Amino acid sequence: MSDARIGVLALQGDVREHLAALRDCGADPVSVRRRDELEAVDGLVIPGGESTTMTHLLRELELLEPLRQRLAAGMPAYGACAGMIMLASEIRDAGTAGREALPLSAVDITVRRNAFGRQVDSFEGDIAFEGLDDPVHAVFIRAPWVERVGAGVQVLARAADHPVAVRQGAVLATAFHPEVTGDRRIHQLFVEIVNGRR
């Protein structure tokens, strides 16, 4: 069993699926919607969804700055799809003024929102993932890709010649959705990062 208490930001997206994946990996997952819940976790998953809406909700719930502070202080985080966009240091096509996605600057990357296209362009396929023996079945839904990788960032996977999974220190991000496939290896990696084992 893990001793990690990992939160899933419960504003949008596959919250239940991430909670189930973390539970399968031995973590103690909880939903995070309030500041006291954020302060009580050892790590945080930011699921997919719509990054501009999630930014708006973080502001409305007065979670944006507390989340930035926790990330700046070194809290481990994993972002999937919109979560990757939010964890980035720079966002291309961030949205319209006043409703744009704001970067949390937890990983030194530039991402492009909806880089693979609209909903009808969503796709899935097997991709090699650094450190895993077998490919990961990746589901891309209105997915971003990484256009710039900072010096301290490790690229873990690529698709269409672009990075789609990265890690910088205790922060992990994927452009795809492992929570919907039943493959728990990426969540297991994050649990091990939170526990200081990877």
Side-chain angles (χ1 to χ4, degrees), residues 1-57:
M1 262 319 252
S2 163
D3 52 359
R5 187 169 177 80
I6 299 178
V8 177
L9 190 63
L11 305 180
Q12 251 195 347
D14 293 335
V15 175
R16 283 181 305 214
E17 290 84 350
H18 281 290
L19 289 168
L22 292 166
R23 199 171 295 113
D24 288 348
C25 296
D28 178 18
V30 294
S31 296
V32 171
R33 291 184 197 89
R34 300 191 314 263
R35 185 171 184 160
D36 62 325
E37 294 168 339
L38 175 63
E39 291 169 354
V41 297
D42 303 307
L44 184 71
V45 173
I46 303 176
E50 213 292 314
S51 54
T52 57
T53 300
M54 290 170 75
T55 297
H56 173 73
L57 292 170

Side-chain angles (χ1 to χ4, degrees), residues 13-122:
D14 293 335
V15 175
R16 283 181 305 214
E17 290 84 350
H18 281 290
L19 289 168
L22 292 166
R23 199 171 295 113
D24 288 348
C25 296
D28 178 18
V30 294
S31 296
V32 171
R33 291 184 197 89
R34 300 191 314 263
R35 185 171 184 160
D36 62 325
E37 294 168 339
L38 175 63
E39 291 169 354
V41 297
D42 303 307
L44 184 71
V45 173
I46 303 176
E50 213 292 314
S51 54
T52 57
T53 300
M54 290 170 75
T55 297
H56 173 73
L57 292 170
L58 283 171
R59 282 175 164 152
E60 287 291 308
L61 296 170
E62 298 181 354
L63 276 175
L64 186 60
E65 287 313 313
L67 178 53
R68 278 199 173 123
Q69 290 166 12
R70 289 268 351 244
L71 291 167
M75 178 182 68
Y78 165 50
C81 197
M84 170 186 260
I85 294 167
M86 296 184 71
L87 289 171
S89 55
E90 184 181 10
I91 303 168
R92 299 255 194 258
D93 298 329
T96 57
R99 286 288 294 183
E100 72 272 22
L102 297 178
L104 295 168
S105 300
V107 59
D108 186 15
I109 56 173
T110 300
V111 296
R112 180 172 297 279
R113 292 174 70 230
N114 303 326
F116 287 100
R118 300 182 329 181
Q119 188 81 20
V120 296
D121 300 308
S122 300

